[in-house]
Amino acid sequence: MKKYTYTEQKDTRSGFGAGLAELGRTNPNVVALCADLIGSLKMEKFIEENPERFVQVGIAEANMMCIAAGMTIGGKIPFTGTFANFSTGRVYDQIRQSIAYSDKNVKICASHAGLTLGEDGATHQILEDIGLMKMLPGMTVINTCDYNQTKAATIAIADYEGPVYLRFGRPVIPVFTPEDQKFEVGKAVMINEGADVTIVATGHLVWEAILAGEALEKLGIDAEIINIHTIKPLDDEAILKSVAKTGCIVTCEEHNYLGGLGESIAGLLSLNRPTPQEYIATKDTFGESGTPAQLMEKYELNSEAIVKAVQKVMQRKQK
């Protein structure tokens, strides 16, 4: 098992803020809009350096999406910022009609996704957003795993033509990917090559998959671990190549198993290579208030749950 270490922990939303600030210095067409959550989205530096390229919309998320769509007509590249719940569920009609249907070059940037929003509870912990967004024709869906990858993704999507949903979070987590990485939309990242089982993870679950891989190594299980940061378009080739070698797969995400990454992979496998699969995801439920660590444990979204899922799917493969 390849060893991953870290020297600091940061929130992925700060990676977005750093990437947006960098774009402000290098791309004059980038503009930012926010729905009254500047601090939560870490947009202060961009605003400080580019006040004329920022619009504070207020608590009017639907208006924000329509304004962003209009800005693209003049050649601007708008980055919208609010919580994932408000970036999708609250404004789905506006995204569908004004952005996706019209193929507008809007970057929908969504913080505080999933259970790790924590104490704010079920009303703010959206676990359906990936499903909502991946079903929209032409929408690219990205879910990054740490500060460095989020910064790199934020910078990369400015040059990527078409609507993008970029999902990130609130809690501090290990920073373990390279600072100078090149982010390629739709290209999976190999975390560890293995032979016994494929573990595919996205977002905060990538680090948990690494921890699981270390625990599995002690049990004599050689896990192949893949970081899927782009859920749509999915890197079909990387997944099919891996399961052809391992013969079973565990998919890991901080999202409902209905509509998420695991469902996309199940569809891919059913059409190309039927393979035993286990899901690490929420099981058709809302969240609740609690610390991120407490919620990840209760809803079985941690390394311990991944290890159990691997043991289960390997038994199915042997049958």
Side-chain angles (χ1 to χ4, degrees):
M1 174 72 189
K2 184 178 178 180
K3 301 303 177 186
Y4 285 84
T5 60
Y6 63 93
T7 58
E8 61 180 338
Q9 298 188 62
K10 291 184 178 181
D11 47 348
T12 48
R13 59 178 172 156
S14 289
F16 165 70
L20 186 65
E22 182 66 23
L23 285 172
R25 302 176 193 119
T26 59
N27 191 329
N29 286 322
V30 168
V31 295
L33 304 88
C34 190
D36 202 36
L37 288 167
I38 291 171
S40 295
L41 271 290
K42 305 297 182 180
M43 301 173 84
E44 298 96 333
K45 196 65 178 178
F46 178 91
I47 298 168
E48 176 188 329
E49 297 177 359
N50 310 278
E52 76 287 353
R53 289 156 61 188
F54 172 72
V55 178
Q56 173 58 277
V57 179
I59 307 174
E61 294 85 355
N63 288 346
M64 179 170 68
M65 295 303 169
C66 294
I67 292 168
M71 285 178 154
T72 66
I73 298 171
K76 300 304 180 184
I77 307 171
F79 282 64
T80 68
T82 185
F83 289 1
N85 195 16
F86 309 145
S87 290
T88 57
R90 178 172 289 182
V91 294
Y92 196 67
D93 181 56
Q94 284 72 28
I95 292 173
R96 183 182 186 276
Q97 303 297 91
S98 298
I99 296 175
Y101 178 66
S102 305
D103 194 32
K104 293 293 191 293
N105 193 32
V106 176
K107 315 307 173 185
I108 302 166
C109 303
S111 183
H112 294 59
L115 286 173
T116 49
L117 172 55
E119 290 83 353
D120 286 3
T123 56
H124 286 53
Q125 295 163 346
I126 193 162
L127 296 164
E128 313 89 56
D129 55 316
I130 290 173
L132 287 168
M133 299 305 281
K134 79 176 188 180
M135 287 190 294
L136 289 171
M139 182 67 69
T140 294
V141 179
I142 297 172
N143 186 35
T144 49
C145 70
D146 74 352
Y147 173 94
N148 286 340
Q149 190 173 79
T150 308
K151 180 180 178 181
T154 303
I155 295 169
I157 62 175
D159 293 325
Y160 186 84
E161 188 66 29
V164 175
Y165 179 59
L166 176 61
R167 183 191 206 246
F168 43 91
R170 177 187 189 184
V172 294
I173 58 172
V175 181
F176 60 94
T177 67
E179 185 176 1
D180 61 348
Q181 66 189 276
K182 179 183 178 182
F183 187 90
E184 296 183 65
V185 175
K187 187 68 174 177
V189 177
M190 180 64 71
I191 297 293
N192 185 71
E193 293 191 20
D196 296 332
V197 61
T198 299
I199 302 175
V200 171
T202 188
H204 296 144
L205 270 293
V206 176
W207 180 252
E208 295 297 323
I210 291 171
L211 296 178
E214 294 174 351
L216 289 165
E217 183 180 38
K218 295 176 182 178
L219 299 174
I221 298 173
D222 185 18
E224 180 146 294
I225 304 172
I226 301 174
N227 171 8
I228 297 286
H229 51 66
T230 306
I231 296 169
K232 182 187 174 187
L234 194 63
D235 191 341
D236 296 357
E237 181 181 357
I239 296 163
L240 292 172
K241 181 180 178 181
S242 182
V243 298
K245 175 172 54 173
T246 65
C248 60
I249 187 169
V250 174
T251 55
C252 312
E253 59 193 309
E254 189 184 344
H255 187 271
N256 192 351
Y257 84 100
L258 297 170
L261 170 65
E263 185 178 83
S264 290
I265 290 176
L268 170 69
L269 297 177
S270 70
L271 292 173
N272 295 275
R273 180 179 283 272
T275 304
Q277 176 179 349
E278 291 292 329
Y279 292 78
I280 296 296
T282 58
K283 307 299 192 293
D284 195 22
T285 182
F286 291 103
E288 61 184 288
S289 297
T291 67
Q294 288 172 334
L295 295 170
M296 296 288 270
E297 179 179 1
K298 176 172 180 177
Y299 289 85
E300 299 182 305
L301 302 179
N302 56 17
S303 60
E304 290 84 359
I306 296 172
V307 169
K308 292 178 182 177
V310 164
Q311 293 170 321
K312 183 177 180 180
V313 81
M314 287 186 66
Q315 289 177 350
R316 292 175 57 200
K317 176 176 71 168
Q318 291 166 2
K319 294 178 181 179

